[in-house]
Amino acid sequence: MMRMTAKLLAAAVVAAVAGSAASAESIYAPNLSYRTGPFAATGIPLMNGQKDYIDMLNARDGGIGGVTVDFDECETGYSTEKGVECYEKTKGKAIVTQPWSTGITLQVLPKTNVDEIPILAPGYGFSPMADGKVFKWAFNAPSSYWDGASMILQYIDSQDGLKGKKIAFLHLDHPFGKEPLPFLEKKAAEQGFELVPIPVGLKEMQNQSAQWLQIRRERPDYVVMWGWGAMNAGAITEAVKTKFPMDHFIGVWWSGHDADLDLVGEEGKGYKSISWSFPELDAPVMADIKKHVVDPGNSQSNEKEMQGVFYGRGLVISMILAEGIKAAQDHFGTAAIDATQLRWGLENLDVTEERLAELGMTGMVPPFKTSCSDHTGHSGGWMLEWDGAKFVKVSDLLKPETDAIAALEVEKAKEYADANAPWPMNDDCN
């Protein structure tokens, strides 16, 4: 009797989803894109990957749960001011906002509490957003910037040890670039290495002669780069010019763009980047995108770009959104979910190895799981290395120091909530 009841309940849920799908036109999930401006070189492949994945689902499956996804783009040029304008413009019917900038994320973070719209910021934004007890509406799965800093330090420690070393931290002088400093400063004190922050202003991205002069004077053991857009190419070119040992130059995942290394080719060999994604070119999802999006002429990408790290990461990012939508549809028994329901879906992601295989994305992202109290999932990542022509994996899966990071997340989340009091807490979390 219990089995029959379970089957009838499952059938009822499926019927409810199908019925909702029939009446729903589309799910509005806008993207605050940046195809123009000084960060366009990195933005374009990411935006193309995101859009192609959603377009593939719409063409192949009729969307998600039988309802198509309207992946409208609002161009920000990576400007915080324009990003906030785009948020205000799209929030009326959006079930999610994807800010695509730590600066924009920080500006809309308080607004989303009032508007009750989830922020999806995969691998970027404010690291304490992982604390779902404080940041009910914000998600930065699968890995945070503090996760990235932790994995980079672990890798350096495994190669040469950290104690007594000098590490130059070359970073964009922007909220994004400053984000890992609390974790790096804490680890420097604990593990006995010297941290030398070297900021790069927005107007200095393409001419970093002053910064690399400082690096030559400091003679660090490693340079860790938190770069983005034109800053990456400028730094990599300067490193080659000054003959800095490329195998001691490591970037965050936004500093591992194939096109930036193409500029120096073989001379960039040995440069590394931590990454929570990897472009598996033979993955079944790539064949589906070619069949349903590229071949019909509906992709803005090209063959070379589609082989790169950033395009593949764009696919993973849209997969995360799609899995959140699906989880919400299944739980609430409706295809036409709203923003509150998507928030539940993003809080209950369970991207297992088995699920990745079903999606045709094995090896493209490590498995991860979110919860009420953990809005990141802390998936871990791989160290990638430029071999002169492409990025290859040179490590097994690295995992962040979640205990140390969690303590810092709680501390900084409380500081943020206190500074922005009265701040609404997530009472659903135990």
Side-chain angles (χ1 to χ4, degrees), residues 35 126 215 232 311:
R35 294 178 178 272
F126 187 43
I215 288 171
N232 296 335
Y311 179 87

Side-chain angles (χ1 to χ4, degrees), residues 153-165:
L153 292 181
Q154 287 181 65
Y155 182 82
I156 294 173
D157 199 28
S158 72
Q159 301 298 300
D160 296 315
L162 280 168
K163 188 174 179 60
K165 296 294 190 297

Side-chain angles (χ1 to χ4, degrees), residues 97-98 129 134 137 153 196 206 213 217 240 264 287 304 323 361 373 387 396 414:
T97 186
Q98 301 183 77
M129 292 189 328
V134 177
W137 294 92
L153 292 181
V196 183
Q206 293 175 296
L213 176 60
R217 289 172 175 166
V240 169
V264 295
K304 182 173 177 58
E323 288 298 286
M361 302 183 78
S373 59
D387 70 359
D396 294 330
K414 184 179 185 305

Side-chain angles (χ1 to χ4, degrees), residues 26-165:
S26 66
I27 294 172
Y28 185 52
N31 199 28
L32 308 191
S33 61
Y34 55 103
R35 294 178 178 272
T36 63
F39 302 96
T42 42
I44 289 171
L46 288 161
M47 302 303 120
N48 285 343
Q50 283 191 274
K51 188 174 187 303
D52 283 359
Y53 188 86
I54 297 297
D55 286 350
M56 182 269 292
L57 293 181
N58 286 340
R60 186 191 69 186
D61 305 334
I64 305 170
V67 61
T68 58
V69 179
D70 180 359
F71 197 67
D72 183 33
E73 292 187 3
C74 187
E75 177 62 39
T76 70
Y78 204 73
S79 159
T80 298
E81 182 180 356
K82 289 181 180 177
V84 174
E85 289 175 4
C86 278
Y87 170 79
E88 295 292 343
K89 176 183 175 182
T90 59
K91 73 178 185 181
K93 59 178 182 175
I95 64 165
V96 68
T97 186
Q98 301 183 77
W100 265 120
S101 154
T102 297
I104 299 172
T105 302
L106 289 169
Q107 287 297 308
V108 303
L109 192 55
K111 297 174 181 288
T112 58
N113 283 329
V114 177
D115 300 326
E116 298 190 341
I117 297 174
I119 292 173
L120 179 59
Y124 66 94
F126 187 43
S127 294
M129 292 189 328
D131 186 351
K133 296 177 182 179
V134 177
F135 298 101
K136 181 176 181 177
W137 294 92
F139 299 84
N140 57 346
S143 264
S144 74
Y145 284 141
W146 293 350
D147 290 345
S150 172
M151 290 184 280
I152 289 173
L153 292 181
Q154 287 181 65
Y155 182 82
I156 294 173
D157 199 28
S158 72
Q159 301 298 300
D160 296 315
L162 280 168
K163 188 174 179 60
K165 296 294 190 297

Side-chain angles (χ1 to χ4, degrees), residues 110 160 313 365 379 406:
D160 296 315
R313 189 171 297 150
V365 62
S379 67

Side-chain angles (χ1 to χ4, degrees), residues 60 65 78 90 96 115 122 163 167 194 202 216 233 270 276 285 300 329 375-376 422:
R60 186 191 69 186
Y78 204 73
T90 59
V96 68
D115 300 326
K163 188 174 179 60
I167 298 177
E194 182 182 355
L202 292 174
R216 289 199 300 274
W276 46 261
V285 71
Q300 298 180 53
Q329 290 175 334
H375 282 195
T376 300

Side-chain angles (χ1 to χ4, degrees), residues 209-270:
S209 56
Q211 286 80 7
W212 283 88
L213 176 60
Q214 183 180 353
I215 288 171
R216 289 199 300 274
R217 289 172 175 166
E218 294 283 354
R219 301 182 66 183
D221 297 284
Y222 280 85
V223 171
V224 171
M225 177 163 70
W226 234 256
W228 190 226
M231 176 184 160
N232 296 335
I236 289 163
T237 302
E238 285 287 344
V240 169
K241 186 192 303 183
T242 59
K243 301 189 184 306
F244 186 83
M246 298 301 283
D247 60 344
H248 282 221
F249 190 8
I250 304 175
V252 69
W253 37 76
W254 305 123
S255 299
H257 183 28
D258 308 71
D260 295 331
L261 275 300
D262 277 336
L263 296 172
V264 295
E266 280 285 329
E267 291 182 296
K269 192 172 182 178

